[in-house]
Amino acid sequence: MEQRNNLVLQGTETFSRGQLDNVALDNGSVVLDSVAGRYLQYGSYTTPEFAMPAFCNLNVSWNAHAPQNTMVEVRCRVYAGGNWTGWMSFGKWAPDYPRSSINAHSDDGLIFLMGDTVTVALPGGGTGVQLQVNLSTNDDKVTPALRLLSAAVRPLAWEKQDGHPINRRLYLPEYCLSAHDPSFGREMDLPLVMAALMNRWGEDILPEEVAHIMADKATGSTGNAAFAAAAAGCCGYPCWQAWMDLKDLREQIHDGCSVAVRIERHIRGQRDPVGVWMGLRGFGHDDAVLADFVLLNDPTADSDGAVNCTMAVTDFARYFTGRAIALRPKPRDIEADRPRRVPCSFEYSTEDDCWYLSLRGQRQLLPAEFSGWAACSPHDGVAHATTAHRTFRRMERTRTGGFRFPPEQTASGGRCSIYIIDQTGTMQFAEVRLPTPPPAPSAPEANQSTLSPAP
């Protein structure tokens, strides 16, 4: 477990202390109980009541394996003002399900859940937390499996500690907003950082895949940090939200683990400071000025090459909100739901002058309600560190369910990779070689004059 305000539950011994209703423990996970080889349709797991330091904000995270036709719902309740609130749901969740956050509040309206954060507006704050996870399946042969559950609170009287200065730099891939899918706007910063946190361990996942796995259908955004942690859990990485100070962050870097941190800062085009998720990749010391600094990846930079930045520790302490997302390397024996990728062919149709995906000889028409991401990436002969570092160009979707290349790609020709990511985060990909256009005819040489130049 983390420090007292960050509670992380995982493993058989820890889960066994809770209340199990129609669920069982299997290989360190909470699963639906079974009878005669068939899983029950519903079950729930309820944690003990945990005393916490008086807090104003609560964030809950979960990691679960949820195969098709299964569902996970995480709920919490808060002890404040001498009473427990009713159960508040963070929404039904599964990788293939159109997950949506839920806004809820207590009867007096002073304790409310919005998106991924519970806020306690009562004097004295909240002092207790209890969590509950409901598991369900529509297929008695499969069950969801809860692997990790966490609760993190921001104390009212938070005595933040700096810890001991360290000098360590970690590798963290650099991804910027301008080089990736613009449909999610500036809130694409969190998928970019989450992809970097996983890719540093060799995952090679695209930020667009992460974005569509964690997208909140209620808001149409990717700013829900609870869904971000669940998305990383889908890929097999233990991941949870936390409220951290400098001491906690230094311990994470000391252990070799980068962290996503939320920074309040001014960005171009915004009058007031806004929250931006950045990747923390280390700490250092400048002997010339005798000052400590923080190494960050800022996804709002103008290009991938400008993502790496430094900030004085004193400035970082001022702008860091305390919100963080911790991610640990994937255990070898873990089962992952994502990334899910389907290799296809890409075929040209002379009838309507567009390209179509083809799977085992069958044309795959893009549905009319498709709201995912379709892009091509030319092969430039450069060995990129990750696929997400490549150059992507959006493709035009046709009314017939096909695609057209952007004009600049058609003009240049050559080999391309095609990436089609749907709303569930499932990718269809293909390789194609476009014909290289013939060289433009050279202009005829002008006849040389034999006249003498004028004086």
Side-chain angles (χ1 to χ4, degrees):
M1 294 192 183
E2 301 295 305
Q3 68 176 20
R4 188 166 173 248
N5 66 310
N6 292 311
L7 187 69
V8 180
L9 309 177
Q10 57 183 335
T12 301
E13 181 180 353
T14 302
F15 282 138
S16 64
R17 298 169 188 166
Q19 179 181 341
L20 288 77
D21 296 318
N22 291 336
V23 296
L25 298 176
D26 180 27
N27 196 26
S29 301
V30 179
V31 300
L32 288 168
D33 209 348
S34 61
V35 177
R38 299 191 174 192
Y39 290 108
L40 301 179
Q41 193 171 7
Y42 299 102
S44 68
Y45 171 77
T46 307
T47 70
E49 299 172 356
F50 294 106
M52 306 291 277
F55 62 89
C56 55
N57 295 120
L58 163 68
N59 294 96
V60 174
S61 307
W62 63 91
N63 296 165
H65 174 60
Q68 192 172 9
N69 296 319
T70 67
M71 191 79 65
V72 175
E73 181 188 23
V74 179
R75 307 197 300 171
C76 76
R77 64 175 187 164
V78 173
Y79 187 79
N83 296 292
W84 285 98
T85 65
W87 291 103
M88 295 179 285
S89 173
F90 289 89
K92 294 181 178 179
W93 177 88
D96 297 320
Y97 185 76
R99 69 210 73 79
S100 298
S101 59
I102 298 175
N103 295 339
H105 58 81
S106 59
D107 294 337
D108 56 13
L110 296 178
I111 303 173
F112 52 91
L113 165 63
M114 292 188 66
D116 60 0
T117 303
V118 176
T119 300
V120 181
L122 284 171
T127 56
V129 172
Q130 190 173 26
L131 307 179
Q132 185 179 81
V133 183
N134 296 324
L135 308 180
S136 61
T137 182
N138 291 328
D139 184 348
D140 59 15
K141 298 300 182 183
V142 293
T143 175
L146 175 71
R147 298 169 177 154
L148 181 148
L149 190 60
S150 78
V153 301
R154 185 185 191 282
L156 286 174
W158 195 0
E159 297 180 1
K160 297 182 180 180
Q161 301 181 33
D162 292 341
H164 299 292
I166 63 172
N167 191 358
R168 186 174 189 187
R169 307 182 182 202
L170 304 177
Y171 168 72
L172 192 64
E174 312 89 10
Y175 308 134
C176 71
L177 288 168
S178 60
H180 292 276
D181 188 359
S183 59
F184 290 109
R186 196 197 57 76
E187 287 191 344
M188 186 69 177
D189 59 346
L190 184 52
L192 290 168
V193 174
M194 295 304 298
L197 292 179
M198 289 185 277
N199 286 350
R200 71 177 297 261
W201 297 110
E203 186 62 45
D204 199 21
I205 193 169
L206 288 179
E208 288 76 10
E209 292 178 273
V210 181
H212 285 285
I213 299 172
M214 61 173 284
D216 185 347
K217 305 304 180 182
T219 61
S221 75
T222 54
N224 190 311
F227 290 168
C234 281
C235 297
Y237 293 87
C239 183
W240 63 93
Q241 298 183 83
W243 287 93
M244 297 186 179
D245 55 20
L246 271 174
K247 178 183 178 183
D248 299 320
L249 295 178
R250 283 176 164 135
E251 289 176 353
Q252 294 289 329
I253 296 299
H254 179 271
D255 292 342
C257 294
S258 293
V259 184
V261 291
R262 183 122 172 128
I263 307 292
E264 291 284 346
R265 55 156 294 181
H266 287 277
I267 63 174
R268 186 182 301 121
Q270 296 285 344
R271 173 181 163 183
D272 298 322
V274 297
V276 177
W277 285 99
M278 298 187 185
L280 174 66
R281 57 185 179 86
F283 291 89
H285 181 79
D286 189 345
D287 291 328
V289 295
L290 299 178
D292 295 324
F293 56 87
V294 182
L295 297 155
L296 298 166
N297 276 13
D298 180 3
T300 64
D302 294 332
S303 65
D304 285 351
V307 167
N308 288 352
C309 63
T310 60
M311 184 183 296
V313 167
T314 52
D315 292 335
F316 178 81
R318 185 183 311 122
Y319 301 130
F320 175 44
T321 63
R323 287 195 68 181
I325 300 177
L327 183 142
R328 295 286 170 160
K330 181 193 301 187
R332 293 183 178 180
D333 58 345
I334 210 74
E335 188 175 5
D337 293 306
R338 290 294 188 275
R340 184 179 296 169
R341 293 162 179 169
V342 182
C344 298
S345 300
F346 212 53
E347 301 175 352
Y348 177 68
S349 171
T350 56
E351 298 177 2
D352 43 11
D353 186 30
C354 67
W355 294 77
Y356 291 94
L357 282 170
S358 176
L359 181 61
R360 301 185 188 92
Q362 297 293 323
R363 183 175 289 183
Q364 305 293 303
L365 300 180
L366 203 64
E369 65 275 10
F370 179 83
S371 61
W373 184 67
C376 64
S377 176
H379 287 227
D380 53 11
V382 178
H384 297 284
T386 67
T387 303
H389 280 111
R390 297 177 65 174
T391 300
F392 296 93
R393 294 170 177 169
R394 295 293 294 270
M395 299 189 68
E396 176 191 352
R397 303 196 297 269
T398 66
R399 294 182 179 180
T400 58
F403 303 90
R404 285 194 178 95
F405 285 91
E408 62 269 25
Q409 188 60 53
T410 305
S412 61
R415 187 180 171 194
C416 291
S417 298
I418 313 300
Y419 303 96
I420 315 296
I421 301 173
D422 66 15
Q423 299 92 315
T424 68
T426 300
M427 176 198 291
Q428 294 174 291
F429 65 95
E431 297 287 328
V432 66
R433 184 178 292 277
L434 295 175
T436 302
S442 57
E445 295 183 1
N447 292 330
Q448 295 183 357
S449 173
T450 59
L451 298 178
S452 300

